[in-house]
Amino acid sequence: MPRASSRICLLFFISVLLLLSAPASANRLVIAPESPWIYHFGAALILYAHIGGGALGIFSGLVVGFSRKGGRLHRKAGRVFVWSMFVCYLIGALVAPFLDTQQSTNFVAAILALYLLMSGVSSARRRQFEAGLREKIGLLVALMITTTGAVFMYLAAQNPDGSLDGSPPQAYMLFILAGSFAAIGEIKAVIQKKLSNNARTVRHLWRMCMSFFIATGSAFFGQAQFFPTWFNESFLPLLLGFFPLVILLVYVGKFGLKGLMQKRVSAVDNPR
């Protein structure tokens, strides 16, 4: 890793430690006015890193979605997307426990997004996909996410107000569905040990798109109050929010159909 990147990462983690050790409100992460300037600096750095990482990640993700898959622009924008979203999701996971409400939803969403992001990148980088320890660890993570989502959904349904930390039971459905699909994918990879290039591409695509959807959904649906009225009253939030799922349907459908055709051709060429 270049020296500049190492220094940025070091500064970021020092800021996180400063914030978590500061005399801050455990509900809102508000630094007391009389606190030393370095605590305020750490809080501001984390806030702008989270917002900036998310904004840059969404923009680069849109570029990736419209660019030719495997091309130069796709690879460069993809690197920006991965690093930006990694910072954004990591901050979200660290800060969520200190939020006033919906900390359970934000925390599980950040962990799910991080898991999908890293496992999706790992699938793309391995031209010859052979399942190993990473997939076994991924299976445990996916099962934990699914179980946590189910438990939180049950607790929300049992509460008198029908919510948990301000989130209704339906808010945890995404964690259960995405976690279950991810777990099935890990089991399939571990059993088969090797994945074809087409299957590896589908694995990469759906994980990256679902991770991207968590970011766009959080931004355009969960933070609507920060956007102009004209923007919220238009179709842009809907289009941008569901853009990753559209890309997912288009390309997973494309490669899934390609895989079926290859299997049929193989069956014809090699009859039993």
Side-chain angles (χ1 to χ4, degrees), residues 151-258:
V151 171
F152 284 167
M153 186 176 183
Y154 172 78
L155 293 176
Q158 294 301 309
N159 281 343
D161 63 351
S163 67
L164 179 65
D165 293 330
S167 299
Q170 297 83 357
Y172 302 99
M173 185 60 68
L174 175 64
F175 310 141
I176 298 175
L177 293 176
S180 298
F181 277 117
I184 293 173
E186 301 294 16
I187 293 174
K188 179 181 178 181
V190 170
I191 293 177
Q192 293 184 346
K193 298 186 184 303
K194 294 183 180 181
L195 295 181
S196 65
N197 185 60
N198 194 72
R200 179 185 64 85
T201 302
V202 171
R203 174 186 170 94
H204 163 71
L205 280 171
W206 93 259
R207 288 169 184 263
M208 299 300 285
C209 288
M210 187 58 66
S211 179
F212 189 21
F213 173 65
I214 293 175
T216 57
S218 299
F220 299 113
F221 303 146
Q223 305 296 329
Q225 68 273 20
F226 295 105
F227 292 97
T229 303
W230 67 265
F231 180 84
N232 291 327
E233 292 179 349
S234 68
F235 288 103
L236 289 176
L238 191 64
L239 293 175
L240 294 173
F242 285 104
F243 175 78
L245 295 187
V246 174
I247 295 298
L248 174 63
L249 292 175
V250 170
Y251 283 98
V252 169
K254 173 184 176 181
F255 284 99
L257 181 61
K258 181 179 178 181

Side-chain angles (χ1 to χ4, degrees), residues 16 20 29 34 96 150 159 199 221 239:
V16 171
L20 297 183
L29 281 181
E34 65 275 10
N159 281 343
F221 303 146
L239 293 175

